[in-house]
Amino acid sequence: MLAFRFSLKGLLGLFVVVSMAIVITTQWRYRGRLTTYFLDPTSAEAKALLASPVLAADELLPTAEYRANYRDVRWLFSKAEDAVAISGGLQADFDNDRVVIRTSEPDDLKLLIAKMSEADHLEEDHGVIRGIAVDENDRPVANLPVDLLGPTQLVNAYLTRPDGSFSVPVEFTPSDDYTLRFRRSYAETYQTMPFSLGKSKREVVVRVVIPQKG
């Protein structure tokens, strides 16, 4: 009967060989992926990327701009509109994750924004992937399409904001195989490193470096 004996030195050598093989395989699998930094959602850097409502005095009507952070902006507006008794005219223009609201009654406008802010949080099976896209010189990259790829997909729905930040809310299927894709064109696309979404990880915040054109 054959007996195999492994010395501690031999086991350590085997561990090193296996570890190197895993590293090489991983690097090959994810070659060409974006430089991706995952931020702690509770950190100051991550919180600084959250958008705040902007109230402004329009030439004709009181105006507010609301950018959603955690939920779809159309859903937020619909929920707020159902909760506020509007006494005057109301106009809402949607663009990306933003709505510009105009109404003849300033108090109604403030109530709408308050209700939207109150509802703009994660719950149940909803998640969000948010963050910022910058170039190699740390300058924001604006108006870049952001697609979510994985078991749940969102394509052609969101863009990076003027300051490079973005927010992609999603009702997700739990998985460890999600990525974000950024597109300058359909021929020039970039993907992040993979990340997880699940009941214990419903908010992912990333900082990605987009290669400069040319």
Side-chain angles (χ1 to χ4, degrees):
M1 207 172 164
L2 295 175
F4 295 94
R5 293 184 178 179
F6 293 95
S7 66
L8 180 59
K9 185 176 180 180
L11 287 173
L12 288 173
L14 179 62
F15 175 77
V16 170
V17 170
V18 171
S19 298
M20 289 180 64
I22 292 173
V23 169
I24 291 171
T25 301
T26 301
Q27 288 180 340
W28 177 83
R29 181 182 177 187
Y30 297 126
R31 69 189 187 283
R33 294 291 178 94
L34 287 174
T35 300
T36 309
Y37 302 98
F38 292 95
L39 308 179
D40 179 352
T42 64
S43 68
E45 184 178 2
K47 289 181 177 179
L49 300 175
L50 293 170
S52 299
V54 177
L55 292 169
D58 186 80
E59 292 181 0
L60 300 174
L61 295 171
T63 302
E65 174 185 285
Y66 190 96
R67 289 188 181 274
N69 289 305
Y70 296 103
R71 301 296 296 270
D72 178 76
V73 71
R74 290 166 178 79
W75 179 85
L76 289 172
F77 178 78
S78 177
K79 190 174 180 68
E81 190 179 20
D82 289 342
V84 177
I86 303 297
S87 55
L90 178 65
Q91 178 183 336
D93 298 308
F94 295 92
D95 173 33
N96 192 24
D97 59 357
R98 180 185 71 154
V99 61
V100 176
I101 307 169
R102 294 180 176 88
T103 180
S104 56
E105 296 296 332
D107 290 341
D108 290 348
L109 185 63
K110 292 176 182 178
L111 279 174
L112 282 168
I113 293 300
K115 290 294 183 181
M116 291 180 72
S117 298
E118 184 181 308
D120 197 6
H121 60 82
L122 296 178
E123 60 182 21
E124 299 175 353
D125 292 329
H126 290 83
V128 68
I129 308 93
R130 58 184 192 84
I132 187 168
V134 298
D135 66 16
E136 291 150 326
N137 293 313
D138 205 31
R139 294 175 300 201
V141 182
N143 301 316
L144 204 60
V146 187
D147 301 326
L148 176 66
L149 305 181
T152 302
Q153 298 197 0
L154 286 173
V155 179
N156 295 327
Y158 294 98
L159 301 170
T160 56
R161 300 164 180 157
D163 65 354
S165 66
F166 59 87
S167 182
V168 180
V170 61
E171 189 172 354
F172 62 85
T173 299
S175 174
D176 297 326
D177 197 28
Y178 283 100
T179 62
L180 289 179
R181 178 178 64 192
F182 296 82
R183 291 184 282 113
R184 279 206 170 97
S185 68
Y186 282 98
E188 188 177 357
T189 64
Y190 312 98
Q191 277 185 246
T192 65
M193 295 296 286
F195 54 84
S196 302
L197 279 175
K199 288 188 178 297
S200 62
K201 190 174 183 181
R202 296 186 296 140
E203 181 178 4
V204 175
V205 187
V206 299
R207 180 183 180 87
V208 295
V209 180
I210 307 293
Q212 291 177 297
K213 292 183 69 173

